[in-house]
Amino acid sequence: MGGDGFVIPVESQVSSVKKKKKQSTTKKKTTAVSRSWVSLDRDGRSTILDVDKYAIMERAQINARDLRLLDPLLSYPSTILGRERVIVLNLEHIKSIITADEVLLRDPTDENVVPIVEELQRRLPSTNSLYQGQGEEEEPSTTQNELAENVSSFNAEFPFEFRALEVALEAICSFLDARTRELETDTYPALDELTSKISSRNLDRVRKLKSAMTRLTNRVQKVRDELEQLLDDDDDMAELYLSRKVAGTPESGSGTPTWFLASPKDYSKISRTSRVSAITIRGENDVEELEMLLEAYFMQIEGTLNKLITLREYIDDTEDYINIQLDNHRNQLIQLELFLSSGTVCLSIYSLVTAIFGMNIPYTWKEDHEHVFKWVVIVTGIVCATIYVSLSSYARYKGLVGT
């Protein structure tokens, strides 16, 4: 262009557009929800799945309403839901879907989820898969045979979904208990330091620890309430027996699953009592095994909650002790103020007498009586001291000051 105009090079325009595109893509990547899942079968074999929610809904036979509970962008309380074919598990960072044949765990790359995947790989396989790799040359010992028999009987009595549920409950209880122990390790020394020296730094440190304790207590309370709610309702526990449902469900002639043919509205109309009654009719409404499992981890999470309650009581006792100390210092300041006020009153009387005799007024009795000034000063001082001692004695007699 001519004159004072200027031309922006095409290369700079292209580079700026590319930068904007890169920034927008990075923003989208940071705000996007992770689509990574891990699938673990009965033998403990894991498979990473990078699929959307619709594929998960079709694979696990779950509706969108239940899958929404596992969305990390949404804040839902801790939940253990039993559905027709799955168990929906939302416990803090553990977001899982348990079926009768596999476990789907969300975000397997998370540092808190990796140990859970490893534990599932170790505990999900049956006894035969554990001992089939020993070879023919090495025969198992008597102890190993007894262990194999015990584990096989345990696996025969304990369904696959309960083994996966036990791993999840053990992980969340251990995780919350570890956070509680870390909080105790930091809180008790901070409280002891605060009782020995009250300062702004120590007060702010205890305030932060108390806030962390309140948040952790709420998290533990939610898990504890969910387990208690399950234990109080046998129908809810019966819904978690997926193996019984699969064993008692007749096979359909068509390859299309019945859950996919029914609409979500029709599915929601199926009452829970009708599904549980089907189990009751078959005579398989015994939930003693699951009740024992849930009670064990309920007692563990109850112990963790008791630790936090004890910690809260210790914090409250420390606050009461600090308030008593502050009240004591406040009372000491009030006593000092009382003594200073009494002394001020006495000095005011002394100053009044001094001011009267300091006036430039001729007095006839001042002539030839130079010693009068000395006696006035002495008598006034004695009177003021007597008044001060009298006020102090009266205050001690009435208990206004400490002895």
Side-chain angles (χ1 to χ4, degrees), residues 354-366:
T354 305
I356 292 174
F357 281 91
M359 291 182 182
N360 191 13
I361 300 175
Y363 297 99
T364 56
W365 51 270
K366 290 176 63 177

Side-chain angles (χ1 to χ4, degrees), residues 21-35 71-74 106-107:
K21 288 184 178 180
K22 288 182 179 179
Q23 291 176 357
S24 62
T25 53
T26 53
K27 289 181 180 179
K28 290 181 181 179
K29 289 181 181 179
T30 54
T31 57
V33 182
S34 177
R35 299 178 12 166
D71 193 343
L73 298 181
L74 301 178
R106 185 157 201 166
D107 198 7

Side-chain angles (χ1 to χ4, degrees), residues 228-269:
E228 184 180 18
Q229 183 179 358
L230 274 176
L231 289 170
D232 291 341
D233 196 339
D234 291 343
D235 294 345
D236 289 340
M237 286 190 288
E239 284 290 330
L240 302 182
Y241 279 84
L242 303 180
S243 299
R244 288 181 182 178
K245 297 177 185 179
V246 173
T249 303
E251 295 182 359
S252 177
S254 61
T256 306
T258 57
W259 70 270
F260 190 77
L261 295 175
S263 63
K265 183 177 180 181
D266 297 334
Y267 179 80
S268 62
K269 291 182 179 179

Side-chain angles (χ1 to χ4, degrees), residues 174-380:
S174 302
F175 175 79
L176 294 175
D177 186 68
R179 300 290 85 76
T180 301
R181 283 187 273 108
E182 291 177 0
L183 188 62
E184 286 179 335
T185 305
D186 296 335
T187 303
Y188 284 115
L191 293 174
D192 296 336
E193 185 178 355
L194 180 61
T195 53
S196 61
K197 181 182 179 181
I198 302 175
S199 61
S200 301
R201 175 180 171 274
N202 292 336
L203 286 173
D204 185 68
R205 181 184 176 188
V206 172
R207 179 188 63 81
K208 294 179 180 179
L209 291 173
K210 185 177 180 180
S211 299
M213 184 206 64
T214 303
R215 292 192 297 269
L216 183 58
T217 303
N218 293 333
R219 294 162 60 187
V220 174
Q221 186 70 43
K222 290 177 182 178
V223 177
R224 185 242 180 217
D225 292 343
E226 182 63 24
L227 292 178
E228 184 180 18
Q229 183 179 358
L230 274 176
L231 289 170
D232 291 341
D233 196 339
D234 291 343
D235 294 345
D236 289 340
M237 286 190 288
E239 284 290 330
L240 302 182
Y241 279 84
L242 303 180
S243 299
R244 288 181 182 178
K245 297 177 185 179
V246 173
T249 303
E251 295 182 359
S252 177
S254 61
T256 306
T258 57
W259 70 270
F260 190 77
L261 295 175
S263 63
K265 183 177 180 181
D266 297 334
Y267 179 80
S268 62
K269 291 182 179 179
I270 300 175
S271 62
R272 178 179 299 173
T273 56
S274 64
R275 297 195 301 269
V276 176
S277 62
I279 300 176
T280 307
I281 292 173
R282 292 193 300 268
E284 298 179 349
N285 57 344
D286 184 18
V287 294
E288 184 179 358
E289 298 175 356
L290 180 59
E291 187 176 2
M292 294 175 61
L293 172 65
L294 295 178
E295 281 180 353
Y297 291 102
F298 177 78
M299 296 300 296
Q300 184 176 351
I301 201 69
E302 183 76 13
T304 303
L305 184 60
N306 291 333
K307 290 180 182 179
L308 292 172
I309 293 175
T310 304
L311 183 60
R312 175 180 287 277
E313 292 176 353
Y314 192 82
I315 292 177
D316 294 338
D317 294 340
T318 304
E319 290 180 350
D320 295 338
Y321 176 74
I322 291 173
N323 291 329
I324 292 173
Q325 280 189 334
L326 295 177
D327 291 339
N328 185 29
H329 293 324
R330 193 179 297 110
N331 292 334
Q332 291 178 356
L333 292 175
I334 293 174
Q335 294 174 10
L336 178 61
E337 184 180 1
L338 178 61
F339 284 115
L340 292 177
S341 300
S342 302
T344 303
V345 171
C346 298
L347 289 177
S348 299
I349 296 174
Y350 191 83
S351 300
L352 176 62
V353 174
T354 305
I356 292 174
F357 281 91
M359 291 182 182
N360 191 13
I361 300 175
Y363 297 99
T364 56
W365 51 270
K366 290 176 63 177
E367 298 177 358
D368 300 330
H369 297 85
E370 290 82 3
H371 59 280
V372 174
F373 178 76
K374 178 179 67 176
W375 286 109
V376 168
V377 172
I378 294 174
V379 171
T380 305

